[in-house]
Amino acid sequence: VLAALAAGAAEARATSEGQLPGAAAMGTGTPPSPSGTAFEETRLHVFTLDYPHVQIPFEITLWILLASLAKIGFHLYHKLPSIVPESCLLILVGLLLGGIIFGAEEKSPPVMNSDVFFLYLLPPIVLDAGYFMPTRLFFENFGTIFWYAVVGTLWNAIGIGISLYGICQISAFGLTDITLLQNLLFGSLISAVDPVAVLAVFENIHVNEQLYILVFGESLLNDAITVVLYNLFKSFCQMRTIKVIDIFAGIANFFIVGIGGVLIGILLGFVAAFTTRFTHKIRVIEPLFVFLYSYLSYITAEMFHLSGIMAITACAMTMNKYVEENVSQKSYTTIKYFMKMLSSVSETLIFIFMGVSTVGKNHEWNWAFVSFTLLFCLIWRALGVFVLTQIINVFRTIPLTFKDQFIIAYGGLRGAICFSLVFLLPPAVFPRKKLFITAVIVVIFFTVFIQGITIRPLVEFLDVKRSNKKQPAVSEEIYNRFFDHVKTGIEDVCGHWGHNFWRDKFKKFDNKYLRRLLIRENQPKSSIVSLYKKLEIKHAIEMAESGMISKVPSSVSLSDYHEGKIKPLSPTEMENMREILTKNLYQIRHRTMSYNRHSLAADAGEKQAKEILIRRRHSLRESLRKTNSLSRERPVLA
Amino acid sequence: TSEQIEHLHRRFKQLSQDQLTIRKENFDSIPDLEFNPIRGKIVHAFFDKRNLRQESDGLADEINFEDFLTIMSYFRPIEMNMDEEQLDRFRKEKLKFLFHMYDSDHDGKITLQEYRNVVEELLSGNPHLEKESARSIADGAMMEAASICVGQMGPDQVYEGITFEDFLKV
């Protein structure tokens, strides 16, 4: 379609050029004197084709449409997404498309513009990931994540850079003109683990949350280091002499980039939460604030050359806690769906563009460089993870096993970020830019295809602990809270300022100041109570819809019944309560959302309909069986 | 480790004001513990004879450093070089410690009233909550435990309370 349009565009341009001076002339009032068609009157056109007028939006829409249609295509064949991750298929589609465009027009297809990628395609994905990140788990493992992200990336970058330089020195490969600094720069951009690729691959294999958060958290946090190293080495390549002061400036720059990004994110997150405090009159634009503020944090950070990814992650995580309570239920649903839609579209586009941009004339193949790059990437990653884990295990309560380490090393996928970064290299300073591009593409393809496809069977083979999607239960919530308080109490007794101590302190500060400021109707919140209230509400709605109000009492009415008695509950009542609970538990709104990005909880409507049918059948059976009814039959209160 | 024992010893001396034993009142000197909703249960756990591995039942009046260490040892992290059986035993001990905290009347079962007590204490920091909600929450949780442990119950059965085996299942 695009090729045909391109041909049509050429035609249309010719006709419109003829028309345009005419139109302009009519505007100024002088008689028309068209350039090509002198003295030829243009008849009234019954049907015109004016492609350039709509070219840009038209092409964008077509690309997005194509991406989404491709996605539908994959899921038509059931088994395919479970064997091959979507990212691979999308790249293949992109390759195909690139090939077609190349064949049709005999020139390189549009390369993914790095600006487009960094400013438009990347933020939605990071926002989505940050908003639904399990914060508690993230902060519990924060030390480890930070360690892997910073030291691990440094290790990889310098290791790969230096070893590649060693290879370049061997004159037989014809690479001696690549300097050490260029190699280091290459190392720094290729060692960045990519959040997009990690998300795309990990979301289908369902490893346990801790492992997931380690790899994913690392991919987010290493953006700070990548930005710093990349800019550092790029400037070094362009400077004549390098002084020691520059190295210190680099280190200082890292702190500023990282911390500055996070601060901007948190600040704008608070502002967003504060804004939503006042939006109860205009519910319709509530979702807009969430998106605007987070995007604002991203581009503000980018403006100062700070880490945009960390800014938007911090903003999303901050906003999530407070905004959720201020906005209406409908707004919350809108935010959720819209975010997932945007991120899904972005991800698809990124992979397709990667495929398209691969085809073309900007390649230079050199066996040694490419293969050694790939080899070193793998070796240094494995070594890095192993060494770093031995060190960090000393500080962890639950040490990381070899299986965990293997998955962390194997899950270090490269993706679109290094792809874009390599395209951003200034060709004047890097005469062998094409070689770098080729090497990066090979590494990305290897990690996405081979590692992406094989990680699932490996996870099963190694019997890695998977995430268990169980229903939230009130007793579980109770036990968890109990454990937390016990741990905090023991820490107080020991006089030890541990994890629980700080978390408790933060909670108190939060309750005292932040929540009062940022949340509209502030009531001290207990997770147990809110969970239970949701259960009751769902139960009430269900009952009202299925018309079973007077048959089964809720446990609220039951507790009246037992005032002052220590005798345990009688079995019929227990059975009824059990039924209520088991049937309602699965419909709770998941606040700690699982990280699976592409499948939201199944539509409540269809499940409810089934439920009502089951209930009706059951109630018919019950009413035939039941001889006694309970002494109190109160209508259910929400 | 020995440094951990030293640290705990210092803390013990601080709490007991250089005496050989600690009483319940000494725990009042820990400021942050005041805010902990289940403070009573935590302090109680230190003096619970079942936790101190003594044969008798009930509460001790005072504990010495050895007992203090015994309680603290429940919170040891799992070591990598343990085998399956040790691991299992270790976990059971930790869970038993928690079980004793729930089971305040020492009869080996968590009854509905004890459970309600626990939930009320947990939610005691929340002034807006009515007692009724806490009760119904406890009832609901008890229900879930019953359904996990006993499954389908016949019309004549009465659920006494959560025993330790049921607790493990849950």
Side-chain angles (χ1 to χ4, degrees):
Chain A
V1 168
L2 282 169
L5 274 174
E11 244 181 62
R13 237 170 273 144
T15 33
S16 65
E17 254 164 41
Q19 285 172 354
L20 205 52
M26 275 196 291
T28 57
T30 57
S33 48
S35 43
T37 59
F39 304 125
E40 194 182 306
E41 264 184 5
T42 48
R43 297 283 111 197
L44 195 64
H45 288 257
V46 176
F47 176 76
T48 46
L49 174 70
D50 189 7
Y51 184 64
H53 183 60
V54 297
Q55 182 172 9
I56 295 180
F58 201 89
E59 282 180 357
I60 294 178
T61 315
L62 275 184
W63 276 114
I64 299 183
L65 195 59
L66 173 75
S68 317
L69 288 175
K71 264 192 141 131
I72 298 182
F74 300 147
H75 285 278
L76 282 179
Y77 179 45
H78 308 289
K79 280 216 195 144
L80 200 55
S82 58
I83 306 176
V84 182
E86 264 179 33
S87 39
C88 305
L89 298 168
L90 288 169
I91 296 186
L92 284 175
V93 168
L95 275 175
L96 199 64
L97 211 60
I100 295 176
I101 298 182
F102 188 66
E105 284 193 20
E106 283 299 325
K107 67 174 172 73
S108 300
V111 167
M112 176 158 65
N113 192 350
S114 294
D115 270 348
V116 167
F117 172 70
F118 279 114
L119 288 182
Y120 300 115
L121 292 179
L122 187 59
I125 301 180
V126 183
L127 175 62
D128 177 38
Y131 203 77
F132 294 111
M133 176 112 76
T135 29
R136 190 186 151 128
L137 209 56
F138 180 74
F139 284 116
E140 272 179 17
N141 288 304
F142 187 72
T144 319
I145 295 177
F146 194 73
W147 178 249
Y148 279 131
V150 176
V151 180
T153 315
L154 261 177
W155 168 284
N156 274 330
I158 298 187
I160 295 176
I162 295 188
S163 24
L164 271 180
Y165 181 62
I167 295 292
C168 288
Q169 297 302 90
I170 304 176
S171 51
F173 296 138
L175 297 166
T176 42
D177 56 330
I178 307 181
T179 67
L180 174 64
L181 278 173
Q182 290 181 342
N183 273 311
L184 280 174
L185 178 58
F186 183 69
S188 71
L189 67 85
I190 205 166
S191 62
V193 175
D194 187 68
V196 181
V198 165
L199 272 175
V201 167
F202 266 66
E203 97 178 284
N204 284 325
I205 59 179
H206 298 301
V207 291
N208 63 66
E209 261 105 11
Q210 171 162 298
L211 206 49
Y212 165 77
I213 207 91
L214 282 174
V215 182
F216 183 65
E218 178 196 343
S219 68
L220 281 183
L221 287 188
N222 71 12
D223 182 56
I225 269 266
T226 312
V227 165
V228 169
L229 278 181
Y230 182 78
N231 286 325
L232 190 77
F233 287 129
K234 198 162 79 158
S235 325
F236 279 4
C237 283
Q238 290 166 323
M239 289 183 350
R240 293 275 155 213
T241 53
I242 301 175
K243 302 186 187 147
V244 179
I245 189 100
D246 291 322
I247 305 203
F248 280 119
I251 299 178
N253 192 19
F254 163 67
F255 283 107
I256 294 184
V257 164
I259 298 180
V262 170
L263 279 180
I264 289 185
I266 294 183
L267 183 67
L268 279 170
F270 281 146
V271 174
F274 191 65
T275 316
T276 52
R277 188 178 166 174
F278 301 106
T279 54
H280 48 278
K281 299 280 194 243
I282 26 166
R283 294 271 184 201
V284 189
I285 60 171
E286 268 172 351
L288 194 61
F289 284 118
V290 170
F291 292 106
L292 284 180
Y293 277 112
S294 34
Y295 192 59
L296 190 67
S297 69
Y298 182 80
I299 43 183
T300 314
E302 288 287 319
M303 177 171 74
F304 292 115
H305 279 294
L306 304 174
S307 164
I309 290 185
M310 289 181 76
I312 204 174
T313 313
C315 186
M317 283 166 70
T318 320
M319 263 192 327
N320 187 19
K321 277 179 45 138
Y322 305 108
V323 165
E324 202 180 304
E325 308 213 10
N326 279 337
V327 300
S328 66
Q329 174 74 0
K330 288 206 176 117
S331 299
Y332 181 76
T333 315
T334 312
I335 294 176
K336 201 166 69 170
Y337 268 95
F338 204 70
M339 229 185 248
K340 299 239 176 251
M341 185 186 79
L342 274 180
S343 72
S344 181
V345 165
S346 286
E347 185 194 350
T348 321
L349 278 178
I350 288 178
F351 283 116
I352 287 196
F353 271 133
M354 269 214 289
V356 169
S357 312
T358 310
V359 178
K361 295 208 180 119
N362 44 9
H363 290 299
E364 180 194 334
W365 185 269
N366 179 310
W367 273 107
F369 192 75
V370 171
S371 45
F372 275 110
T373 307
L374 188 58
L375 195 66
F376 287 138
C377 277
L378 295 172
I379 294 181
W380 282 102
R381 172 92 185 151
L383 262 183
V385 168
F386 182 70
V387 169
L388 290 179
T389 315
Q390 302 302 13
I391 301 179
I392 198 80
N393 265 344
V394 173
F395 297 98
R396 282 177 65 90
T397 335
I398 309 173
L400 293 170
T401 62
F402 280 120
K403 268 191 235 167
D404 294 333
Q405 290 172 36
F406 179 74
I407 297 292
I408 294 176
Y410 206 68
L413 308 172
R414 278 48 169 195
I417 290 191
C418 24
F419 191 75
S420 311
L421 283 177
V422 85
F423 272 106
L424 276 178
L425 290 174
V429 185
F430 293 90
R432 313 241 7 210
K433 179 172 164 180
K434 292 188 180 175
L435 180 61
F436 288 172
I437 293 179
T438 315
V440 164
I441 288 182
V442 168
V443 170
I444 293 181
F445 274 41
F446 182 84
T447 57
V448 171
F449 278 92
I450 308 221
Q451 285 183 247
I453 295 181
T454 55
I455 200 170
R456 173 180 275 258
L458 270 175
V459 160
E460 283 168 11
F461 176 69
L462 289 176
D463 198 25
V464 174
K465 193 166 132 193
R466 312 292 277 270
S467 74
N468 42 354
K469 304 267 175 73
K470 46 186 184 348
Q471 314 303 336
V474 180
S475 55
E476 186 185 327
E477 195 70 35
I478 293 180
Y479 288 135
N480 279 331
R481 286 289 230 76
F482 198 80
F483 293 173
D484 281 345
H485 286 303
V486 168
K487 282 192 275 186
T488 320
I490 295 287
E491 278 189 4
D492 290 332
V493 169
C494 297
H496 172 61
W497 284 10
H499 225 102
N500 293 291
F501 178 78
W502 286 115
R503 188 176 58 223
D504 210 49
K505 273 258 170 323
F506 175 71
K507 268 210 178 117
K508 283 197 201 108
F509 173 71
D510 191 31
N511 278 327
K512 212 159 149 202
Y513 300 111
L514 293 176
R515 290 176 65 97
R516 263 199 228 149
L517 189 60
L518 299 172
I519 298 184
R520 188 175 36 246
E521 299 140 7
N522 186 22
Q523 283 141 22
K525 182 178 84 143
S526 157
S527 50
I528 302 178
V529 177
S530 30
L531 184 64
Y532 190 73
K533 282 212 168 93
K534 283 187 192 109
L535 271 178
E536 284 280 292
I537 290 177
K538 291 288 173 188
H539 162 65
I541 295 176
E542 282 271 316
M543 299 269 281
E545 281 180 347
S546 61
M548 273 175 60
I549 287 189
S550 53
K551 285 285 180 200
V552 183
S554 81
S555 30
V556 174
S557 57
L558 245 122
S559 61
D560 279 328
Y561 184 59
H562 282 296
E563 192 103 53
K565 291 197 195 144
I566 309 185
K567 128 179 132 58
L569 303 168
S570 81
T572 18
E573 293 146 13
M574 298 273 282
E575 232 195 86
N576 289 327
M577 284 168 74
R578 201 188 315 133
E579 269 174 18
I580 299 167
L581 282 170
T582 42
K583 281 185 181 159
N584 280 309
L585 284 177
Y586 68 80
Q587 284 183 353
I588 296 170
R589 169 181 114 181
H590 287 266
R591 277 181 310 123
T592 47
M593 184 81 177
S594 84
Y595 54 89
N596 193 329
R597 286 167 47 233
H598 292 308
S599 60
L600 299 164
D603 190 29
E606 26 182 81
K607 277 201 175 173
Q608 260 181 356
K610 256 197 221 162
E611 243 280 86
I612 291 175
L613 275 174
I614 298 176
R615 285 268 185 121
R616 290 235 166 90
R617 275 186 242 130
H618 199 88
S619 69
L620 282 173
R621 261 184 276 136
E622 284 282 278
S623 54
L624 293 174
R625 247 198 293 149
K626 259 196 201 165
T627 49
N628 63 322
S629 60
L630 297 149
S631 57
R632 304 269 274 257
E633 284 181 357
R634 274 177 24 175
V636 175
L637 301 167
Chain B
T1 65
S2 49
E3 346 164 320
Q4 287 172 339
I5 297 182
E6 255 188 59
H7 178 87
L8 284 173
H9 187 75
R10 263 180 278 133
R11 183 69 179 161
F12 184 82
K13 289 235 290 257
Q14 201 186 7
L15 282 177
S16 69
Q17 284 135 11
D18 288 328
Q19 306 265 315
L20 281 175
T21 57
I22 299 189
R23 297 171 165 277
K24 272 209 180 139
E25 297 78 48
N26 295 106
F27 279 94
D28 293 338
S29 59
I30 305 173
D32 289 313
L33 209 53
E34 292 299 315
F35 297 108
N36 200 315
I38 52 171
R39 182 182 176 281
K41 287 208 158 27
I42 296 179
V43 176
H44 187 101
F46 274 90
F47 294 92
D48 193 339
K49 278 204 183 151
R50 295 175 294 175
N51 290 338
L52 296 173
R53 301 177 205 243
Q54 289 168 17
E55 290 313 314
S56 53
D57 217 9
L59 285 179
D61 286 326
E62 44 187 28
I63 53 174
N64 55 22
F65 183 58
E66 212 185 300
D67 299 322
F68 188 70
L69 272 186
T70 316
I71 304 285
M72 286 300 174
S73 70
Y74 284 109
F75 292 88
R76 261 193 1 234
I78 298 180
E79 272 143 54
M80 295 272 268
N81 50 4
M82 282 189 182
D83 57 17
E84 278 297 320
E85 200 200 303
Q86 274 185 310
L87 217 59
D88 199 42
R89 212 167 19 103
F90 210 56
R91 282 208 186 102
K92 275 218 173 96
E93 273 179 18
K94 292 187 187 226
L95 286 172
K96 219 173 173 84
F97 182 77
L98 282 166
F99 185 75
H100 291 155
M101 286 180 86
Y102 279 91
D103 182 21
S104 40
D105 61 1
H106 302 231
D107 62 354
K109 286 197 284 275
I110 306 176
T111 58
L112 187 63
Q113 189 53 35
E114 286 172 348
Y115 210 94
R116 279 186 186 158
N117 190 322
V118 168
V119 176
E120 273 168 23
E121 272 196 12
L122 267 181
L123 300 174
S124 59
N126 206 332
H128 294 263
L129 209 55
E130 314 92 36
K131 272 209 139 198
E132 219 179 85
S133 311
R135 278 225 172 134
S136 41
I137 292 173
D139 294 344
M142 196 74 178
M143 281 303 331
E144 286 168 9
S147 68
I148 295 175
C149 307
V150 188
Q152 289 293 330
M153 286 191 324
D156 295 332
Q157 279 182 294
V158 166
Y159 193 56
E160 290 287 338
I162 307 179
T163 60
F164 184 58
E165 282 67 40
D166 296 337
F167 190 71
L168 282 179
K169 266 193 238 173
V170 168

